[in-house]
Amino acid sequence: MIHGILNVYKEKGYTSHDVVAKLRGIVGQKKIGHTGTLDPDAVGVLPVCLGKATKLCDMLTDKDKTYEAILLLGRSTDTQDTSGTTLTTRDTSALTEEKVTEVIESYVGEYDQIPPMYSALKVNGKKLYELAREGKVVERKARRVVIYQIRILKMELPRVKMEVSCSKGTYIRTLCHDIGETLGCGGCMESLVRTRVSSFRIADSMTLEEISQKCMKDCLMDVVIPIDAMFQEYQKITVKKSWDFLAKNGNSLPMNAVYFEHEEKSREKVDGDYMRLYDEQGHFVAIYSWNDEKKEYQIIKMFFCEDK
């Protein structure tokens, strides 16, 4: 079984679930999961986790993301993108580049965003898009999101191409809609490319066809990102052989059960510090943290398991 992450370039027309289903056939294993949905019309980075790396799915879903989007002003739709039914069209001839720039930049920072009806969020156990297809509109609670940066890449009104870096849970469709409403002319999203999820960048992503070719040439592992590569900012510790069994069962470990690559690092421990724990054969086992009060290492997330 393969354990690691693939940086997939999701092509237009595929759902995130489609990508996982196709990868299961390409790779020949069932244990695969994606790290957050990307609309069928959108393209770009979709990290996909294989084997033990599926334990990372939630962690990667929570990461910051960067998108390139085209905002179309003057049109509002029920889906908040151009694939939906037009609700209103309004004149944009009075808009100026200065005013549009001012409003777009005003969205940088925290703001309360109401999720769109056409989304996979659930209300009373039912997905919003299912209710929307039934013609129902339900009240949605606003969620606090963070727009870290918006760069206007090109402006040819009524279209604006922009790069948006944002927190998890941000709907770029809704951002486009909200900007349009603030301007008083309406707006929707014309296209969307996800260019980054955490450290995964579009320049390094691969299409399903490219991944399939790697499999046929028996060199897929050349592009599979190891699980522990996601935690390189944490110090590395190695569990001593006599404590190996306890570590691989998620037990807390005393100070003398592990050693550092560099002895001086062992004296720099801070309460709550996360660390990458390996066995003496170099296998990545788990993420542990140091508990200064108890003077022991405590399990945070286990990644080791025997292949079956």
Side-chain angles (χ1 to χ4, degrees):
M1 183 181 290
I2 296 172
H3 306 288
I5 307 102
L6 282 169
N7 183 358
V8 178
Y9 179 88
K10 192 196 83 65
E11 297 168 273
K12 192 170 184 176
Y14 290 121
T15 64
S16 300
H17 180 76
D18 290 338
V19 171
V20 169
K22 289 182 178 294
L23 270 179
R24 284 175 178 151
I26 292 169
V27 177
Q29 72 180 51
K30 291 183 178 179
K31 197 170 184 181
I32 300 179
H34 66 76
T35 58
T37 56
L38 195 56
D39 291 344
D41 285 343
V43 301
V45 174
L46 180 68
V48 177
C49 300
L50 294 83
K52 290 183 283 188
T54 52
K55 294 182 179 182
L56 285 170
C57 286
D58 290 344
M59 298 172 73
L60 290 175
T61 301
D62 287 347
K63 298 293 186 180
D64 299 338
K65 302 171 178 69
T66 301
Y67 299 86
E68 283 186 8
I70 294 180
L71 160 64
L72 174 62
L73 295 168
R75 178 183 171 194
S76 299
T77 73
D78 58 350
T79 59
Q80 299 182 346
D81 61 23
T82 53
S83 71
T85 301
T86 299
L87 301 176
T88 62
T89 55
R90 282 174 269 186
D91 182 40
T92 60
S93 60
L95 291 177
T96 65
E97 290 191 2
E98 291 75 19
K99 180 61 177 176
V100 172
T101 299
E102 178 188 338
V103 169
I104 288 174
E105 291 179 347
S106 73
Y107 276 86
V108 174
E110 294 186 0
Y111 94 98
D112 293 325
Q113 188 181 75
I114 298 175
M117 275 302 301
Y118 281 87
S119 65
L121 291 177
K122 290 185 177 181
V123 173
N124 297 324
K126 198 158 187 178
K127 292 178 180 177
L128 285 175
Y129 69 77
E130 293 173 341
L131 295 170
R133 288 170 182 169
E134 295 172 4
K136 299 175 182 176
V137 177
V138 298
E139 184 177 353
R140 288 96 66 203
K141 289 183 179 179
R143 303 192 304 179
R144 180 60 57 95
V145 299
V146 184
I147 308 298
Y148 298 113
Q149 183 183 51
I150 302 180
R151 286 200 308 129
I152 296 173
L153 304 176
K154 186 178 183 181
M155 190 181 300
E156 292 180 349
L157 296 175
R159 289 174 173 80
V160 183
K161 184 177 182 180
M162 55 189 184
E163 180 186 75
V164 181
S165 295
C166 57
S167 65
K168 67 170 184 174
T170 303
Y171 287 91
I172 305 300
R173 284 182 286 139
T174 303
L175 176 64
C176 290
H177 168 85
D178 292 347
I179 290 169
E181 290 303 300
T182 302
L183 284 165
C185 62
C188 61
M189 187 181 75
E190 191 169 66
S191 68
L192 183 68
V193 180
R194 187 155 68 189
T195 59
R196 182 187 65 86
V197 176
S198 186
S199 60
F200 298 91
R201 299 184 181 277
I202 197 167
D204 305 316
S205 62
M206 302 180 68
T207 65
L208 290 173
E209 177 59 30
E210 289 171 330
I211 292 169
S212 180
Q213 290 295 321
K214 289 283 186 184
C215 277
M216 287 190 285
K217 294 176 182 177
D218 200 26
C219 58
L220 181 63
M221 293 309 297
D222 292 348
V223 294
V224 173
I225 300 162
I227 297 170
D228 58 338
M230 299 295 98
F231 306 107
Q232 290 303 301
E233 70 272 27
Y234 302 154
Q235 287 192 51
K236 176 182 177 180
I237 55 176
T238 301
V239 62
K240 296 175 183 177
K241 190 175 181 179
S242 56
W243 295 91
D244 188 277
F245 178 79
L246 289 172
K248 290 176 180 176
N249 281 279
N251 290 281
S252 296
L253 301 170
M255 188 187 306
N256 64 351
V258 309
Y259 58 88
F260 287 69
E261 283 185 293
H262 305 288
E263 184 57 32
E264 65 272 15
K265 293 291 184 183
S266 66
R267 296 187 291 272
E268 298 177 4
K269 296 185 295 294
V270 176
D271 188 53
D273 271 0
Y274 281 14
M275 299 180 188
R276 294 175 286 135
L277 184 136
Y278 296 77
D279 65 18
E280 290 191 334
Q281 287 72 49
H283 301 125
F284 178 51
V285 176
I287 297 296
Y288 270 75
S289 73
W290 173 248
N291 185 309
D292 203 48
E293 181 181 351
K294 295 185 176 181
K295 302 298 180 186
E296 65 181 17
Y297 298 94
Q298 297 180 333
I299 186 74
I300 297 298
K301 193 98 173 180
M302 173 63 67
F303 290 96
F304 180 85
C305 67
E306 299 286 354
D307 285 342
K308 296 180 180 179

